[in-house]
Amino acid sequence: MQSEDPIYQTLCDYTKALTVALGYRDSLTQQHSERVGNLAEELGIRCGLSDEDIIILKIAASFHDIGKIGIPDPVLLKPGAFDEDEWSVMKTHPQIGADIMLAIELEGAKQAATVIRGHHEHFDGSGYPDGHAGETISLLSRIISIADAYDAMAMTRSYHRAKPHAEIMGIIHHETGVKFDPELIAIFNELIETSEHKSVA
């Protein structure tokens, strides 16, 4: 979606400072968010979404992890696995992100906030924060869930190595119907093979 769109441009202008803040807090999360925004937009276009929905998708995907600004450093920057208490803290970031987006109070922000809140919901209802399932999860959130998971596995972080494309797709296929919408995965399967965001690990 072109940035000349007034809705997109205004929201981008108001959220640019958040991107800088997130970059100072955790530059890898900022870079991940940018890639997820681009990959989610690709998938949204392939799904035939309206221009308005593509705008909201791009914004929500680009800021899906903005709530991590509110996560304490010992949890956010921990190099290993979380314990139960730390995981409970990390799981608050979708709600924090939605609250941040809602505070912008511009056209499109409320829709984007709803999408951000739902990006860790799972297709079978096992996700968070609300335990929604299937089509009760926003379509845009379901799209971001796929883009987010793919890019997270394609990145090298302190707690895991970057996985090669075939390994990532094997994991995604195993989790289709559990975490991911099967119909969207069928579209993603074709898209990712020619995407510039395909893992080169």
Side-chain angles (χ1 to χ4, degrees):
M1 178 54 56
Q2 295 298 313
S3 60
E4 299 89 54
D5 185 284
I7 298 174
Y8 179 80
Q9 189 59 58
T10 302
L11 270 176
C12 279
D13 289 345
Y14 275 80
T15 53
K16 194 173 296 182
L18 297 178
T19 303
V20 174
L22 183 59
Y24 274 108
R25 187 77 194 287
D26 183 358
S27 62
L28 291 179
T29 294
Q30 179 199 27
Q31 294 161 20
H32 163 68
S33 296
E34 291 174 357
R35 290 191 301 270
V36 170
N38 292 331
L39 186 54
E41 182 180 18
E42 281 187 62
L43 182 53
I45 291 170
R46 193 71 68 93
C47 290
L49 297 184
S50 68
D51 289 350
E52 180 178 343
D53 280 345
I54 292 292
I55 292 165
I56 299 302
L57 174 64
K58 176 73 172 179
I59 292 167
S62 297
F63 294 100
H64 73 284
D65 274 344
I66 196 66
K68 289 184 177 179
I69 286 176
I71 303 300
D73 282 349
V75 176
L76 181 64
L77 305 178
K78 184 177 180 178
F82 297 136
D83 63 27
E84 186 175 346
D85 289 341
E86 290 165 339
W87 183 234
S88 294
V89 171
M90 179 55 78
K91 286 167 70 174
T92 64
H93 82 268
Q95 177 60 61
I96 295 170
D99 290 345
I100 290 170
M101 185 60 66
L102 278 171
I104 297 172
E105 297 184 346
L106 291 173
E107 184 177 359
K110 183 176 181 179
Q111 296 96 309
T114 298
V115 176
I116 289 169
R117 181 180 175 91
H119 80 274
H120 277 300
E121 301 289 355
H122 293 168
F123 198 72
D124 70 350
S126 64
Y128 60 90
D130 301 308
H132 291 163
E135 294 185 2
T136 64
I137 306 166
S138 161
L139 172 60
L140 307 189
S141 297
R142 283 179 270 149
I143 289 173
I144 293 172
S145 175
I146 296 169
D148 182 26
Y150 185 92
D151 188 76
M153 288 187 278
M155 293 173 64
T156 294
R157 298 297 295 261
S158 59
Y159 47 86
H160 72 72
R161 63 172 176 82
K163 293 178 173 60
H165 173 70
E167 184 178 351
I168 296 171
M169 294 307 295
I171 293 169
I172 286 177
H173 290 157
H174 181 71
E175 295 179 336
T176 296
V178 178
K179 289 186 178 180
F180 309 119
D181 182 332
E183 292 185 7
L184 292 178
I185 291 296
I187 298 170
F188 184 77
N189 286 342
E190 294 185 8
L191 176 156
I192 194 61
E193 294 303 325
T194 56
S195 173
E196 66 181 83
H197 301 292
K198 181 178 178 180
S199 176
V200 295

